[in-house]
Structures are given as structure tokens and as C-alpha cells.
Amino acid sequence: MTLQFLADGLVMGAMTGLGAIGLTLTYSILRFANFTHGDLISWGAYLTLTLALLIGAAVPYGEPIGPLSFGWPVLAGGLIAMAVTGLLALALDFLLFARLRRRGTAIIMVIASFGASLALRSLLEFLFTSEPTYFSREIQIAIPLAAGIRVTPDQLCSLGLTALLVGAMHLLLTRSHIGRAMRAVSENPALARIVGIDVAAVIRTTWLIGGALACAAGVMLGLTVQIRPYMGFDLLLPLFAAAILGGIGSVPGAVIGGLIVGLAESAGVQFIGANYRAAIAFLLLLLVLLVRPTGLFGVRP
Amino acid sequence: MSASAILAVDALVAGYEPGVPILRGVGIAVNAREIVVILGPNGAGKSTLVKAVAGLVPISAGSVRFADREIMGVPAHLIVQRGLAFVPQTENVFTAMTIEENLQLSGHVLAKAGRARQIEAMYALFPDLARQRRLAAGRLSGGQRQMLAIARALMIEPKLLMLDEPSAGLSPKLVASVFGKLGEIRESGVAILLVEQNARAALAVGDRAYVLAEGQNRHEGPAAALGNDPVVARLYLGGMAAAHGRSANP
């Protein structure tokens, strides 16, 4: 028996957790299941790819950094793409969700997000074809760790960046006014208005942050797996499982939920078979909804 | 409506659904440093009145002047920033946040130095809260939660504090303690608009009172006189009349 599934599960789980943070925030503050979140992940990856190619062509410092498979253009492009994906989410809200929010039924928002998700995904296929692509064709040499576990430098880098972003999000939500305002709107929007919070500004911030985190998850997924128009959509079920497992609205919950889903999936692939990978997130989701619908850290079902 | 009124509501028509007004031409005034009580049977529109003033219920006609400016149609979060604080009846604190976070969140309209000073002032006013600053508000008892809700509202250094049934669900001892605080708060220069079912306790602390019924003004006068008016007591303050009866014939 090899313990490799632990490392793979951890890497996959960290990315799932990162994606689930954005999902859990939009779910708890905007109060609907946003199906476009998966496509924001894909758009983030393709935007980064495009920007990295442009930056790489313009400046001469495109060589891979140390043992990593990618260079500064991917990092710089990723940062810009995070902002652009945030703006894309904001534009979606302005064009679609804000208009429907005034009518006040969550199911209309969910179905609309399903439609927008389809459109965003098709647009990616139209622009970039459905052929998988990569940030880099460099070969990665996996570093052996203890007990026969191997990880690539890209995987370690993704784990580190995820930890950094999760820590930053935690500080934002607990130490800054806008973070506390986001938690306030998530718990009780009417009371939030009474304490002087501009709920519309909180909603805009939530879209920006949700989009930026989706983009970051997309870049890491692109680095460690591959870039496809369906990459984010295929991740939606694990994302929802992680967000609900951790408890809707909880950032630490989303990360821990993501790690549990990631580890369960890779354990399932190793011990049961790769065909059952997709079923595992689904089973976890069902179990949580039956046994503890508020999730590990949640207060509201 | 005297010129010195901090809040002047005139011919207010308001309701949750268009074309279904709950308030049908209500007028009240609150002067500086005054405690004004709103009484009336269930469904009279007492809560709707304070919610409409706070900007939470759509207003279709009338006028709401606060500190000599019209605030009708101003978004709720901006009304707060002008110095009008509101404590709803239920769900009036953020349960997932600590006491300190609740106070900080509300006090962000103040400058940073003022915020820290105001938080300490609130802990001085409510020593129970000071002892458990890091406790999640959801774990407080009913009375402590009400105290936190009032402290949270006072964080903005308001000119007017509106409370919707602060005595609901509290024991008589706690009601006395909450209403005692209202006297202290008025002494610090804040006017108070108090909606209450508990007429006896409210009239004891109030200066003037209005009785609403079916969305309209029915009676008004000094709190003491209104409490002693047998017609008003029988028709609208049933709970209080019964309490008087019990104390007279034990």
C-alpha cells in the first residue's frame, strides 16, 4: 500500500477549499447557490493563460522560477486575472443577478446562474476550443518525501499559496470592518442595515473577492492538472460538498470541508477505483445533508 | 409639532405591501432629552411606525423629519449615520460575533479614537458586558442580549434611540433594570422613543405617550395623565388595568 493518495488528496483538497471559500461567501451573503462559480474558476485560468502569454511575449523574464514549471509571467498574469475575474463576477451581478434580486426569489437566481454558467462555459469553448492546455510544458521532477510519498514543486507552491490566501481571508473577515460587515450581512441583512452597513457595497465586495478566489483556484488547478473549459464546472459538486460540509458561511469550514472532500476522493480512487471519484463527493454531500445539515461550523442550514 | 422636536412624524402612511397601508396618517413628535412612549393593542402599527422611521418599511405619504431634515426615502444605513439608532424587538444582535465585535461593527461610523472611547463608555454603562467581551453574543441570556442590543445602538452616539418592545420576554426584575438604564441614557442627552406592550412600566419611565389603534393616533398626553385615564386604561391598556386591579384587591 502506498500513501501517495494523502499528498494528492491534500493538494486537490486545498484547491477545492479555496474554490469553496468563494462559493460559501456568495451563498451566505447573496443567499443563492451560484452555479457560475465553477465557470469563474475556468475563466480565471484562461485569463491567466492569456495574460501570461502576453506578458511573456513583452518582457524577457519568462524562464521558469527555480524548480517550478512556470515563470513570473504566470504569477503576474494570475494577479491581474484575479482582479479581472472579480470584475467579471461584478459585471454578472450588475447585468443579471441584481435585477433578479429585487424580485426576491432564490430559485430564479439559481436557474439564472445555471444559464449564465452555460453561456460562460460555451464562450470559453468558442474562444479557446475544448482541447486541454497547460501553463507550461516543462517536465516536473517529483520530490520524494517520507513513506514513498512524492510531490512536485508546483504542488508544494500551490499548497503554500492556498495557505497564504486562506490566512489573508481569515484576517480580512475577523479584523477589518468590511470583513465584519460581510459576516453581519451573512447572518442578518436587516440588522446589518440598522447598524449602518451599506449592504449593496458588501454585496459588491463579496463578488469581487469570490471571483478573485475562484481565479486563484483555477490557476492552481491549471498548474497541477490541466486547463479545460469544463475544469471549473466539473469541480462544482466537490465545491458544494466542501462548502456544505464545512457549514455555509464559514471560511475555515470551507477549507476543512475541501480537504476532507479531496482526501476522500483520492482515497476512493486508490482503494475503490477511479470510476467512483465523482460519486464520493456526492455521497459525502448526501451524508452531511442527512446527518448534520448545518455542516461542521455552520449555524444556518 | 414644536420647533425643537428632534423627530417629527406627520400624516405618515406606510406598509409592507403597496396599497395595503398599516399606518394611516400617524403623527408624533419627540423633543430633545424626552422619553416618548408608543402604546396600543396588537396590530395597531406600533412596530411599523418605528421601522418606517428607521427606513425599513416603505412610506407612501407624509413626512418624517429628523434633526430638521427630511429622512423619508433615505436608505436605512444612511439614516443611522445621521444619529438615529434603532433596537428591533428580536434578532437585534449578531449572534455569531463576540460582544466586542458587535460594538465595533456598529461604531465604525465614528472615528477610531471615538470608537474606542465609546466602547469603554458602553462597558461602563453595562458592566455585565465588560466582563465577557470575547463571548459570542448568541450565548448571552435574554436580558444581557437586550443590554448588548441597546449598547450596540448607542455606539453611534445617537441623538435619538428607538426601541421596539425591549421588555418582551424579560422577567419583571430585568424589565426594571432595562428601563432603569433608559433613564440613565436620557440623562446623557439622548432622546428616546419607546414602543411597549408593558404599558405600566413604560409610562412610569416616559414623559409623554401616544396611543395608536388601527394605524391611527387615538390618544396622547403626559405619561402620568394617560396612565390614570380610566377610559384609556380600559380600552387600550388592558394589561395595566388588570395589574392595577390585582394590586388593589390582593
Side-chain angles (χ1 to χ4, degrees):
Chain A
M1 190 188 87
T2 160
L3 294 175
Q4 182 60 37
F5 78 92
L6 284 178
D8 294 343
L10 204 63
V11 172
M12 200 57 214
M15 282 180 294
T16 309
L18 194 59
I21 293 177
L23 193 69
T24 206
L25 286 178
T26 45
Y27 200 135
S28 68
I29 290 171
L30 301 152
R31 284 155 206 275
F32 77 101
N34 175 22
F35 279 90
T36 64
H37 198 75
D39 305 287
L40 291 175
I41 289 177
S42 315
W43 270 84
Y46 275 101
L47 281 169
T48 305
L49 181 70
T50 310
L51 285 164
L53 286 175
L54 289 175
I55 295 170
V59 293
Y61 306 105
E63 290 302 305
I65 309 161
L68 301 173
S69 72
F70 55 92
W72 291 109
V74 171
L75 285 179
L79 272 179
I80 303 170
M82 279 173 75
V84 177
T85 313
L87 291 174
L88 175 65
L90 206 55
L92 269 178
D93 186 61
F94 178 75
L95 292 172
L96 185 63
F97 299 125
R99 290 155 203 267
L100 298 172
R101 195 156 49 232
R102 279 179 224 121
R103 297 188 209 160
T105 28
I107 189 65
I108 294 179
M109 306 268 286
V110 174
I111 301 299
S113 83
F114 211 86
S117 156
L118 201 67
L120 284 171
R121 201 158 57 244
S122 304
L123 198 56
L124 274 185
E125 284 190 286
F126 175 74
L127 290 171
F128 297 94
T129 78
S130 37
E131 278 298 302
T133 179
Y134 302 87
F135 283 116
S136 158
R137 301 275 175 185
E138 296 280 328
I139 308 276
Q140 282 261 291
I141 311 293
I143 312 161
L145 296 178
I149 300 174
R150 289 166 166 273
V151 289
T152 66
D154 282 4
Q155 285 178 325
L156 281 179
C157 177
S158 292
L159 272 180
L161 286 176
T162 303
L164 204 70
L165 282 170
V166 169
M169 271 311 295
H170 183 73
L171 282 180
L172 179 87
L173 287 173
T174 52
R175 303 288 165 83
S176 75
H177 172 68
I178 187 68
R180 279 193 284 260
M182 286 168 73
R183 285 160 61 205
V185 174
S186 143
E187 180 178 330
N188 186 339
L191 184 58
R193 292 166 68 199
I194 295 170
V195 307
I197 292 168
D198 184 351
V199 174
V202 167
I203 288 177
R204 286 195 296 274
T205 311
T206 305
W207 281 116
L208 276 174
I209 293 177
L213 290 178
C215 172
V219 174
M220 290 171 203
L221 199 63
L223 281 175
T224 49
V225 190
Q226 57 184 193
I227 305 169
R228 295 177 298 121
Y230 272 76
M231 62 191 280
F233 184 74
D234 290 346
L235 199 63
L236 258 187
L237 192 56
L239 289 185
F240 274 114
I244 291 168
L245 181 59
I248 288 299
S250 166
V251 166
V255 175
I256 292 168
L259 290 175
I260 294 174
V261 170
L263 285 168
E265 279 191 349
S266 67
V269 169
Q270 171 142 354
F271 299 114
I272 306 169
N275 297 343
Y276 294 93
R277 173 175 216 128
I280 287 160
F282 194 61
L283 272 178
L284 268 174
L285 185 61
L286 274 180
L287 265 178
V288 179
L289 287 174
L290 285 173
V291 177
R292 194 177 154 83
T294 56
L296 296 173
F297 301 93
V299 284
R300 213 178 42 223
Chain B
M1 308 287 145
S2 77
S4 72
I6 186 100
L7 177 73
V9 176
D10 197 24
L12 188 67
V13 179
Y16 299 88
E17 300 288 330
V20 190
I22 294 178
L23 301 177
R24 296 177 296 142
V26 171
I28 62 159
V30 182
N31 298 313
R33 301 179 81 97
E34 200 179 28
I35 299 185
V36 171
V37 181
I38 306 285
L39 302 170
N42 277 333
K46 305 187 296 292
S47 289
T48 309
L49 173 61
V50 277
K51 283 184 194 163
V53 171
L56 299 173
V57 172
I59 295 172
S60 45
S63 133
V64 181
R65 290 185 72 78
F66 174 66
D68 293 322
R69 283 164 83 188
E70 182 63 52
I71 57 167
M72 197 175 86
V74 175
H77 70 275
L78 295 179
I79 293 179
V80 177
Q81 292 175 14
R82 292 188 186 179
L84 199 162
F86 176 44
V87 179
Q89 183 180 349
T90 55
E91 297 182 8
N92 49 21
V93 297
F94 293 107
T95 54
M97 291 190 200
T98 66
I99 289 177
E100 182 110 351
E101 282 179 321
N102 268 281
L103 296 180
Q104 280 173 338
L105 186 66
S106 191
H108 83 280
V109 297
L110 305 177
K112 201 164 186 179
R115 197 183 317 155
R117 181 170 37 75
Q118 187 68 358
I119 288 180
E120 289 315 312
M122 288 304 110
Y123 286 146
L125 186 62
F126 302 105
D128 266 9
L129 301 180
R131 283 190 282 276
Q132 36 200 349
R133 304 174 180 209
R134 305 260 167 252
L135 189 72
R139 300 181 60 191
L140 293 173
S141 70
Q144 289 172 329
R145 197 185 285 211
Q146 202 60 261
M147 297 294 190
L148 175 58
I150 295 173
R152 195 226 75 224
L154 290 174
M155 273 305 294
I156 64 164
E157 298 186 317
K159 300 184 184 85
L160 173 68
L161 173 66
M162 299 195 299
L163 302 113
D164 191 359
E165 301 208 22
S167 77
L170 298 187
S171 70
K173 197 177 152 204
L174 280 171
V175 172
S177 148
V178 168
F179 280 24
K181 290 292 177 198
L182 296 187
E184 277 184 56
I185 292 163
R186 180 250 295 273
E187 287 312 310
S188 73
V190 180
I192 295 176
L193 180 61
L194 176 63
V195 164
E196 258 304 338
Q197 292 275 4
N198 189 339
R200 203 220 294 245
L203 288 175
V205 69
D207 301 310
R208 289 189 303 117
Y210 294 85
V211 179
L212 302 188
E214 291 165 10
Q216 291 177 316
N217 287 54
R218 207 41 73 85
H219 293 276
E220 62 180 90
L226 212 60
N228 293 329
D229 183 331
V231 178
V232 169
R234 183 167 49 81
L235 286 178
Y236 302 111
L237 316 177
M240 190 185 64
H244 270 311
R246 269 202 303 278
S247 58
N249 306 303

